[in-house]
């Protein structure tokens, strides 16, 4: 079989718009690990399609062999990244489909896996749209032209739809609210500078790019009326793991009396973890800091600490915008109610 997964290679943006074609599960694993595809929901969607590529060579297997193969592929893809729970959530769905299979042929089971991957993709698109609507309702009181700061990239590049945090900004713009978006560059890999600006400019949103270290100054000047970010994993008490630097932004927002919101679909909720302390934090290569984008910016032998994510405590979060509505205030009880609420 010659199925393939075509991804926009995000490591090449904004300088080049290049497609990356994955024809096997190993190349999908690499694409996720190298951040060619990134952002919690997009990682889950890519992994689900990766499972479909992985079973292409198992079309003659009997049911037990097919299921073993799917388990192995899922175990393998689960090692590509650590923090975004959407990866494991999507792989669990794929695994479940394989284990529900009975009768028919391996070809038919593979078709069911593809249908599940497409459903994960389509549902995410829908969830992004709902998050946009709920978030724009929440921020409806902000004056037209209000300053909204975001960190990292929680847009179309990171999801199957219009994004989570950015979907809210797009919806505000559609409603004529003209948000002015302050984009943190997001060290060390510059997802804000490279990706969020690229998306927002294409959609005609007014933006200003700042270095991460400028956020406090910009807030003190009165330029930011709200902060909205995405999430990689949300614990049962409402603590949120997101791109490194998010905790700092939330702390700054608190210090300046600015509401800090998180936008995320239910697939980002990990109700099994009591608090954010239990969220595994991916550590990435020192070269991302010492040799960012191929150029030495520090002595090669220097000791480096490079956690890719941090955890923002629930008490700093004014609300979590989900596809089911806004979780507000953020407490263990409201998170449990979110988890229990049926899809809209
Ligand atoms: O390391 P990345 O680029 O995958 O980190 C992405 C983020 O932290 C996003 O804010 C998060 O995944 C939400 S995407 C809707």
């Amino acid at each position: 079989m010659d199925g393939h997964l075509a991804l926009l290679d995000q490591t090449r943006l904004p300088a080049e718009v290049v497609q990356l074609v994955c024809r096997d599960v190993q190349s999908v694993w690499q694409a996720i690990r190298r951040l060619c595809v990134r952002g919690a929901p997009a990682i889950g969607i890519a992994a689900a399609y990766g499972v479909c590529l992985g079973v292409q060579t198992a079309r003659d297997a009997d049911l037990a062999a097919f299921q073993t193969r799917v388990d192995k592929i899922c175990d393998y893809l689960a090692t590509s990244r650590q923090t975004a729970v959407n990866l494991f959530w999507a792989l669990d769905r794929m695994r479940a489909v394989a284990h529900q299979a009975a009768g028919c042929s391996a070809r038919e089971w593979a078709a069911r896996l593809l249908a599940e991957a497409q459903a994960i993709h389509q549902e995410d698109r829908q969830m992004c749209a709902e998050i946009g609507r709920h978030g724009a309702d929440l921020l409806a009181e902000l004056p037209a032209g209000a300053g909204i700061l975001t960190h990292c990239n929680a847009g179309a590049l990171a999801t199957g739809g219009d994004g989570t945090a950015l979907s809210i900004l797009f919806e505000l713009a559609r409603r004529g609210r003209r948000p002015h978006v302050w984009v943190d560059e997001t060290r060390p890999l510059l997802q804000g500078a490279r990706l969020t600006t690229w998306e927002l400019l294409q959609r005609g949103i007014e933006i200003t790019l700042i270095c991460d270290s400028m956020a406090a100054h910009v807030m003190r000047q009165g330029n930011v009326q709200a902060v909205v970010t995405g999430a990689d994993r949300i614990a049962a008490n409402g603590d949120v793991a997101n791109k490194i630097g998010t905790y700092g932004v939330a702390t700054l927002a608190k210090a300046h009396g600015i509401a800090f919101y998180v936008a995320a679909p239910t697939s980002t909720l990990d109700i099994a973890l009591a608090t954010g302390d239990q969220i595994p934090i991916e550590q990435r290569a020192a070269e991302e800091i010492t040799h960012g984008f191929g150029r030495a910016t520090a002595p090669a032998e220097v000791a480096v600490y490079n956690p890719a994510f941090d955890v923002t405590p629930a008490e700093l979060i004014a609300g979590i915008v989900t596809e089911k509505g806004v979780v507000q205030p953020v407490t263990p009880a409201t998170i449990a109610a979110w988890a229990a609420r049926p899809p809209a």
Side-chain angles (χ1 to χ4, degrees):
M1 298 303 291
D2 63 352
H4 66 273
L5 174 64
L7 298 164
L8 189 55
D9 185 347
Q10 299 189 32
T11 63
R12 311 277 287 269
L13 289 171
E16 296 169 292
V17 179
V18 177
Q19 232 186 37
L20 177 72
V21 176
C22 300
R23 298 192 185 277
D24 52 35
V25 65
Q26 289 80 7
S27 55
V28 175
W29 188 96
Q30 282 291 343
I32 295 173
R33 172 62 69 98
R34 290 184 48 239
L35 273 53
C36 302
V37 57
R38 44 141 303 282
I43 293 170
I45 295 164
Y49 284 122
V51 175
C52 302
L53 292 181
V55 297
Q56 286 191 134
T57 48
R59 293 283 169 94
D60 296 324
D62 64 19
L63 183 55
F66 185 82
Q67 289 170 335
T68 305
R69 178 66 172 267
V70 170
D71 285 340
K72 280 202 173 129
I73 293 167
C74 290
D75 291 345
Y76 169 64
L77 285 168
T79 62
S80 58
R81 293 198 75 187
Q82 244 182 308
T83 303
V85 75
N86 310 60
L87 171 64
F88 313 105
W89 170 87
L91 291 173
D92 283 349
R93 277 183 62 163
M94 298 301 283
R95 225 187 271 267
V97 167
H99 284 273
Q100 279 153 17
C104 57
S105 66
R107 216 163 261 278
E108 174 62 24
W109 305 322
R112 286 184 198 169
L113 286 175
L114 180 59
E116 187 67 2
Q118 287 166 335
I120 290 170
H121 191 170
Q122 174 56 30
E123 286 166 27
D124 191 68
R125 192 172 296 145
Q126 188 60 36
M127 288 193 285
C128 287
E130 296 297 335
I131 288 170
R133 279 192 279 277
H134 291 305
D137 290 348
L138 177 72
L139 299 181
E141 298 304 311
L142 290 181
I148 301 178
L149 185 140
T150 193
H151 190 75
C152 195
N153 172 267
L157 291 167
T159 63
D162 253 0
T164 54
L166 296 200
S167 174
I168 297 172
L169 304 177
F170 295 142
E171 180 61 21
L172 282 171
R174 271 193 290 272
R175 294 182 187 184
R177 306 302 298 163
R178 298 183 293 103
H180 184 104
V181 185
W182 293 84
V183 181
D184 272 356
E185 66 174 352
T186 316
R187 286 275 294 147
L189 295 181
L190 306 182
Q191 286 93 333
R194 295 187 301 107
L195 309 176
T196 299
T197 56
W198 188 77
E199 278 196 39
L200 291 174
L201 284 175
Q202 283 183 48
R203 305 283 284 256
I205 310 270
E206 233 184 84
I207 63 171
T208 304
L209 172 66
I210 55 171
C211 298
D212 299 341
S213 52
M214 297 169 188
H217 181 67
V218 171
M219 287 183 186
R220 192 172 170 85
Q221 288 181 317
N223 287 318
V224 178
Q225 279 64 56
V227 177
V228 188
T229 75
D232 284 85
R233 197 185 293 223
I234 302 175
N237 71 340
D239 291 351
V240 170
N242 191 48
K243 179 52 56 193
I244 191 74
T246 304
Y247 174 34
V249 173
T251 306
L252 290 175
K254 183 79 167 182
H256 292 88
I258 298 165
F260 174 91
Y261 296 106
V262 167
T266 305
S267 51
T268 306
L269 177 59
D270 188 351
I271 203 77
L273 299 189
T275 77
D277 293 341
Q278 295 167 281
I279 298 175
I281 301 294
E282 177 187 355
Q283 303 292 324
R284 292 192 62 92
E287 290 70 33
E288 289 183 353
I289 295 179
T290 59
H291 291 75
F293 305 96
R295 178 149 181 212
T297 51
E301 64 275 19
V302 73
V304 168
Y305 179 47
N306 186 17
F309 301 93
D310 59 24
V311 174
T312 299
E315 60 264 25
L316 295 180
I317 304 169
I320 300 177
V321 184
T322 83
E323 81 281 7
K324 297 179 186 173
V326 182
V327 177
Q328 195 179 33
V330 181
T331 66
T334 58
I335 295 285
W338 168 23
R341 207 174 307 158

